[in-house]
Structure formats: C-alpha cells, structure tokens
Amino acid sequence: AQTVTQSQPEMSVQEAETVTLSCTYDTSESNYYLFWYKQPPSRQMILVIRQEAYKQQNATENRFSVNFQKAAKSFSLKISDSQLGDTAMYFCAFISLSLIQGAQKLVFGQGTRLTINP
Amino acid sequence: KAGVTQTPRYLIKTRGQQVTLSCSPISGHRSVSWYQQTPGQGLQFLFEYFSETQRNKGNFPGRFSGRQFSNSRSEMNVSTLELGDSALYLCASSSGAASYEQYFGPGTRLTVT
C-alpha cells in the first residue's frame, strides 16, 4: 500500500521568507504522480503543483517549486517570497498509475499547517 | 469554466438518519471522486466514478454509497448515520485523461448529533 508522510505538523515563517515543506512517500510502483494541495481556512482544496515521476526536471509554478528525489522517495515544496495568502494547510498527495487503468485514488499525507506572519 | 460545486454546503443530521450529498463536476470532466476529511483520520478516499461506473472504492462500510448520472453529476449517500460520520466531505473531478489532476469542490460539512 502507498503511504505519504509529512513530518512537519506546523511551520511558521515571516512574510517574504522562503519555506520548504517536506514529504516522503512509500510505493513499489514506478509510474505515479505527486501533488501538493493547499487548503486555506475556507477549506477549498487548491492544486498547487504536480510532478510526474518519469520526469527528472523539478516542477515549478511561479513562487512554488518542488525538489523531487525519486530514489529517496522525497518530494518537498519550496515557497519563495512567501505571502500572507500562503497561510494554509498543505497536503502532499500521491496517485499511482498502476491501478485499474484510469482509476484515480489520491493518497494524502497528514498535512503541514503553514502560517505566514506579517 | 465553472468549478466543482457541492450542495448543500452545511448539513446537520441526527444519528440513524440518512443523508445525500451532491456534486457537479467541471464541465467536460467525467471522473468524480469523493473524500472524507476528519481531524483524526485526515483525508480518506471513499470512491470514484467514471462514466456512471464505480471504478475504485475505499475502505468504508456499506453504509456509504454513491452513484453517477449520465451528465457526470454524482451523489453520495450515507445511511444510518453515526456520530463518527461527522466530517467534511470533498468531491473532486478529473477529466480522466493522463494528467490525473483532481480539482476539488468547496465541500459539504456534515454534523451528526
């Protein structure tokens, strides 16, 4: 079974600082996707960034980037120039491509509560 | 394009009752997944529907069921409600194509008293 672990329950940084959230996962599959989702106090889950396991290049979306280490099964999220609006729960998630073709089941970590202070 | 919508947003029920939650996916998306979010268990997968067929199911009792209609809208039903069913129920839609990205609705907050 796949598992996703986020070892940092809470983090807090000052506005404009850079912060890195950690995530490790366990799987025997070779084809999969990894995601970071953000859940602000409104509870709306928002997709932040995705990484295909077959791609060596780390994904980047504006201020958000990942450090994907496939051999180590590590998938960290870096937020640069953090903003007050980045305050949220951040979930790392995994989806395997080896299930029944097309079946899509996200496995989530427990989340990291990130607070950006002014 | 309109996002995923869920109704109702809030619901209060008593033990033993049943409840139906609704989810309308993004236009053109054919896959709908349901998740339960609680403080203790986190986010757990309930089931996924694609073209009116359940393709995958999580480890929940048979009291939890769902269906999908021809227009891709989905409903989730919980019968004989228990206090532990109190949770945020999230629906996510996906095109079903190779990106596997899932887009979430705002959720339905169910409180069982």
Side-chain angles (χ1 to χ4, degrees), chain A residues 33 35 37 39 41-47 49-50 52 54 61 89 91-92 94-111, chain B residues 4 9 31 33 35 37 39-45 48 50 55-59 88 90 94-107 109:
Chain A
Y33 283 81
F35 303 92
Y37 281 90
Q39 189 178 42
S42 67
R43 310 298 282 177
Q44 175 83 50
M45 193 77 79
I46 301 164
L47 176 63
I49 198 166
R50 79 169 195 202
E52 295 91 332
Y54 64 87
E61 288 287 342
M89 279 289 284
F91 293 95
C92 178
F94 167 101
I95 193 166
S96 168
L97 305 184
S98 298
L99 296 174
I100 299 169
Q101 186 172 355
Q104 303 183 39
K105 168 188 169 182
L106 279 169
V107 177
F108 287 89
Q110 287 298 104
Chain B
V4 178
R9 293 292 310 279
S31 169
S33 298
Y35 297 85
Q37 185 176 23
Q41 299 298 317
L43 283 147
Q44 294 185 290
F45 172 78
E48 186 249 352
F50 181 84
R55 291 197 300 189
N56 204 355
K57 190 177 189 303
N59 296 323
L88 180 67
L90 293 166
S94 170
S95 65
S99 69
Y100 290 90
E101 292 178 357
Q102 295 191 20
Y103 297 91
F104 284 80
R109 169 74 66 186

Side-chain angles (χ1 to χ4, degrees), chain A residues 1 5 16-17 29 33-34 37 40 49 53-54 59 73 78-79 91 93 99 102 105 115-116:
Chain A
T5 302
E17 289 184 344
E29 307 290 349
Y33 283 81
L34 293 160
Y37 281 90
I49 198 166
Y54 64 87
K73 295 180 181 173
K78 185 172 84 171
I79 305 174
F91 293 95
L99 296 174
K105 168 188 169 182
T115 301
I116 310 298

